[in-house]
């Protein structure tokens, strides 16, 4: 089997400000990491082992720090007064025209919006969408099972989150194919410009429904979002649009990518598959363990005042990139971190971030992954990878092509 990596090419110019010591520089471009055996975690642990310091400077993409130790990743997520979310992209956006709300805001502002979406996405409120997710998973699996193979990303991983998103938002399930094509465009871009184009098309799609739910509110997340009262005032049209966009892209790309790594791992590990088939009671904890092992999001933060991380001085204005997976793969935090152990007690991870911006959709995301395991394994217990696998690295790392046969 041949496995290849395809990466997004970003800025080629190298940047190192005078205050950055040469002893912290490593030749790393986060959009061009040669991922070994599709294993992002192992690849980054190798980078950490070779790194000249605990926090390294990358001269690519405008120049920025990278936190390699779990404790430093945690500090970056948990200390918004110093590590601001007003710039989360590397290189920075340089404009607030397409600001994601609440992701690209700091508390207390961001918390005003979170109050609207977090309660409806808590586990106790997810029963209706869980039923739809399960029904969809079964329908998809039963659909391709007789063919003896599928391209997992296109035929399953991207479809399930679209259906879940539509039902959470209260949008028509008939829009599934259309939204899927938009999602594919904004999550599989060849450049940051194309991603922005995808966002614009998503916004155009959402526009009609935003107007409709303002005029005719229903009991769905879209209605709650667009009619929210923010700090005593009705949400503005611009904020409503950016708020809904954040929820949309938050839940499509991420779930699909993590599912890709989960199935890639299981395709290579008959023992783990057998364990879950024989002991379905382990699936809940196994889901957490797989989420720990296969973190996918790396997020930027803007340094707001001179500070230090693990003894490395960072200056006001610098950008830092915090890969969430380095927390759950840090051996100071988790013993034998690369081993997937479904019986590991409460697997510690920051795959959903932490602190004031911790993922609003984490319970839903976990449910989608758990349902996939519960419905796939009894129907297709033995499967393996049958061709080229494509891994993309960057803000959200993912498997974008995963051919499976059984
Ligand atoms: C496996 C799937 C997912 C992963 C790995 C993931 C990861 C993350 C991470 C790391 C953050 C924090 C970013 C930061 O601190 O800058 C975040 C925030 C967010 N996520 Fe997720 N997410 C997933 C699924 C979802 C789903 C299904 C939804 C929506 C239903 C969602 C909606 C959001 C929103 C709205 C935020 C912003 C929260 C805020 O800024 O306060 N995510 N996610």
């Amino acid at each position: 089997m041949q496995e290849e990596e395809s990466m997004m090419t970003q800025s080629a110019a190298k940047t190192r400000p005078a205050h950055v010591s040469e002893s912290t520089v490593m030749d790393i471009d986060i959009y061009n990491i040669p991922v070994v055996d599709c294993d992002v975690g192992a690849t980054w642990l190798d980078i950490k082992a070779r790194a000249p310091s605990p926090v390294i400077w990358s001269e690519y993409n405008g120049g920025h720090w990278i936190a390699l130790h779990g404790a430093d990743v945690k500090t970056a997520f948990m200390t918004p007064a110093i590590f601001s979310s007003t710039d989360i992209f590397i290189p920075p956006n340089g404009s607030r025209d397409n600001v994601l709300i609440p992701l690209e805001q700091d508390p207390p502002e961001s918390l005003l919006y979170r109050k609207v979406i977090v309660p409806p996405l808590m586990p106790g409120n997810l029963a209706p969408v869980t039923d739809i997710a399960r029904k969809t998973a079964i329908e998809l699996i039963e659909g391709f099972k007789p063919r003896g193979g599928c391209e997992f990303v296109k035929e399953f991983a991207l479809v399930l989150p679209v259906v879940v998103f539509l039902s959470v938002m209260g949008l028509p399930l008939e829009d599934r194919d259309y939204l899927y094509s938009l999602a594919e465009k904004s999550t599989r871009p060849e450049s940051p410009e194309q991603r922005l184009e995808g966002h614009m098309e998503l916004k155009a799609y959402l526009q009609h429904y935003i107007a409709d739910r303002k005029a005719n509110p229903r009991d769905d997340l879209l209605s709650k979002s667009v009619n929210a009262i923010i700090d005593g005032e009705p949400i503005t049209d611009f904020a409503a649009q950016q708020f809904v966009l954040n929820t949309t892209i938050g839940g499509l790309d991420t779930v699909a990518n993590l599912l890709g790594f989960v199935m890639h791992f299981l395709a290579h590990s008959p023992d783990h598959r057998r364990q879950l088939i024989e002991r379905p009671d382990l699936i809940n904890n196994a889901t957490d363990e797989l989420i720990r092992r296969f973190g996918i999001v790396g997020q930027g933060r803007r340094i707001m005042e001179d500070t230090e991380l693990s003894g490395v001085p960072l200056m006001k204005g610098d950008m830092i990139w915090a890969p969430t997976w380095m927390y759950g793969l840090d051996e100071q935090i988790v013993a034998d971190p690369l081993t997937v152990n479904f019986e590991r007690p409460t697997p510690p991870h920051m795959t959903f971030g932490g602190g004031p911006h911790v993922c609003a959709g984490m319970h839903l995301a976990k449910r989608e992954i758990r349902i996939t395991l519960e419905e796939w394994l009894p129907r297709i217990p033995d499967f393996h990878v049958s061709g080229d696998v494509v891994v993309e690295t960057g803000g959200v790392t993912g498997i974008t092509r995963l051919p499976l046969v059984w």
Side-chain angles (χ1 to χ4, degrees):
M1 179 189 61
Q2 187 206 342
E3 297 188 345
E4 70 179 41
E5 290 93 39
S6 118
M7 303 104 185
M8 273 203 322
T9 307
Q10 307 265 321
S11 149
K14 293 193 173 183
T15 315
R16 180 167 69 86
H19 70 273
V20 173
S21 157
E22 207 175 334
S23 65
T24 60
V25 176
M26 195 167 178
D27 190 24
I28 294 279
D29 175 354
I30 57 169
Y31 297 105
N32 281 291
I33 304 289
V35 177
V36 180
D37 293 335
C38 298
D39 194 335
V40 176
T43 302
W44 274 90
L45 285 193
D46 177 57
I47 291 171
K48 182 178 172 182
R50 293 185 288 110
S53 65
V55 184
I56 53 172
W57 181 263
S58 163
E59 295 179 304
Y60 298 87
N61 306 299
H64 61 93
W65 297 103
I66 303 175
L68 295 173
H69 287 251
D72 293 336
V73 169
K74 187 172 176 183
T75 303
F77 277 95
M78 301 293 234
T79 327
I82 300 178
F83 298 88
S84 166
S85 285
T86 48
D87 270 316
I88 57 161
F89 292 103
I90 305 269
N93 255 344
S95 150
R96 303 287 283 169
D97 291 353
N98 193 38
V99 60
L100 293 173
I101 295 176
L103 197 57
E104 290 182 272
Q105 297 171 321
D106 284 324
E109 198 185 8
S110 58
L111 303 179
L112 299 172
Y113 293 89
R114 281 181 67 87
K115 268 198 255 173
V116 178
I117 49 170
V118 169
L121 293 171
M122 290 304 277
N125 294 322
L126 296 180
V129 68
T130 303
D131 291 346
I132 291 173
R134 194 177 295 283
K135 196 171 148 277
T136 306
I138 294 170
E139 176 194 301
L140 293 172
I141 298 164
E142 294 288 356
F144 49 60
K145 185 181 164 189
R147 289 201 330 253
C150 72
E151 199 289 273
F152 178 75
V153 175
K154 206 175 167 58
E155 296 185 67
F156 188 93
L158 274 172
V159 184
L160 186 65
V162 167
V163 173
V164 165
F165 167 78
L166 287 170
S167 58
V168 163
M169 289 307 239
L171 294 169
L173 286 181
E174 302 85 81
D175 287 0
R176 170 171 142 173
D177 290 344
Y178 178 62
L179 186 61
Y180 169 84
S181 68
L182 290 187
E184 208 183 15
K185 185 162 176 189
S186 67
T187 59
R188 308 276 165 258
E190 274 159 25
S191 65
E193 292 74 31
Q194 236 187 49
R195 186 183 298 276
L196 192 62
E197 251 176 58
H199 287 182
M200 293 305 161
E201 282 185 44
L202 273 174
K203 277 202 272 193
Y205 161 77
L206 292 166
Q207 204 51 54
H208 160 76
Y209 293 108
I210 289 176
D212 176 66
R213 294 307 195 280
K214 277 195 164 201
N216 311 296
R218 299 186 197 167
D219 184 25
D220 55 40
L221 195 60
L222 181 57
S223 301
K224 289 188 176 78
S225 303
V226 303
N227 295 298
I229 300 297
I230 303 296
D231 213 8
E233 300 287 331
I235 189 170
T236 65
D237 287 349
F238 174 74
Q241 175 185 281
Q242 299 307 114
F243 190 26
V244 173
L245 179 70
N246 193 158
T247 316
T248 312
I249 56 177
L252 297 180
D253 188 5
T254 46
V255 176
N257 285 323
L258 209 147
L259 273 176
F261 285 112
V262 165
M263 294 306 270
H264 179 265
F265 169 76
L266 289 174
H268 287 94
S269 185
D271 288 349
H272 283 92
R273 294 199 303 265
R274 197 168 321 114
Q275 192 183 15
L276 292 185
I277 290 164
E278 283 167 9
R279 295 221 22 221
D281 60 300
L282 276 182
I283 287 184
N284 190 40
N285 201 58
T287 307
D288 285 324
E289 172 68 347
L290 291 163
I291 287 171
R292 176 195 72 78
R293 178 63 177 81
F294 299 109
I296 49 165
V297 176
Q299 226 39 344
R301 292 290 191 258
R302 174 76 75 183
I303 311 288
M304 302 308 279
E305 58 185 67
D306 293 0
T307 185
E308 59 88 25
L309 276 181
S310 291
V312 177
L314 318 179
M315 254 181 75
K316 181 178 176 178
D318 290 349
M319 287 296 297
I320 186 164
W321 191 67
T324 54
W325 56 85
M326 294 308 266
Y327 183 85
L329 294 178
D330 191 320
E331 57 203 2
Q332 304 288 324
I333 295 160
V334 179
D336 194 11
L338 289 178
T339 298
V340 173
N341 172 4
F342 291 155
E343 295 187 78
R344 195 188 289 279
T346 327
H349 66 78
M350 288 193 64
T351 300
F352 294 120
H357 286 279
V358 69
C359 179
M362 63 184 172
H363 303 292
L364 188 57
K366 181 180 163 185
R367 213 159 272 208
E368 289 179 61
I369 297 164
R370 201 185 75 201
I371 287 172
T372 302
L373 298 175
E374 285 169 350
E375 302 304 337
W376 183 290
L377 290 171
R379 288 179 173 79
I380 308 177
D382 282 314
F383 56 96
H384 59 267
V385 177
S386 64
D388 292 348
V389 177
V390 179
V391 176
E392 284 187 3
T393 61
V396 178
T397 292
I399 287 194
T400 57
R401 183 171 187 277
L402 180 61
L404 298 176
V405 288
W406 45 87

